[in-house]
């Protein structure tokens, strides 16, 4: 996730799900729900990124 944030400046819920799926065999959005996933991605995307 950090690499995507650094390289692209943002991360989508689909990207988070793909990463989560690799480690935990289920998408994060199914575990926490769509609304929480949207908040999580918004919080990630609001983090300051140094270049």
């Amino acid at each position: 996730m950090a690499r995507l944030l650094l390289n692209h400046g943002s991360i989508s819920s689909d990207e988070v799900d793909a990463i989560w799926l690799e480690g935990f065999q289920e998408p994060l959005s199914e575990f926490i729900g769509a609304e929480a996933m949207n908040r999580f991605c918004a919080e990630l995307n609001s983090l300051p990124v140094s270049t």
Side-chain angles (χ1 to χ4, degrees):
M1 286 185 242
R3 185 175 305 142
L4 284 171
L5 285 169
L6 287 171
N7 292 339
H8 302 284
S10 66
I11 190 166
S12 71
S13 58
D14 288 339
E15 291 168 323
V16 171
D17 270 344
I19 293 166
W20 200 264
L21 190 60
E22 287 181 30
F24 299 100
Q25 289 71 52
E26 68 177 320
L28 181 59
S29 61
E30 286 185 16
F31 184 71
I32 66 172
E35 188 176 318
M37 180 64 132
N38 289 336
R39 283 193 311 268
F40 179 61
C41 288
E43 289 179 24
L44 287 175
N45 290 327
S46 72
L47 292 171
V49 178
S50 307
T51 55

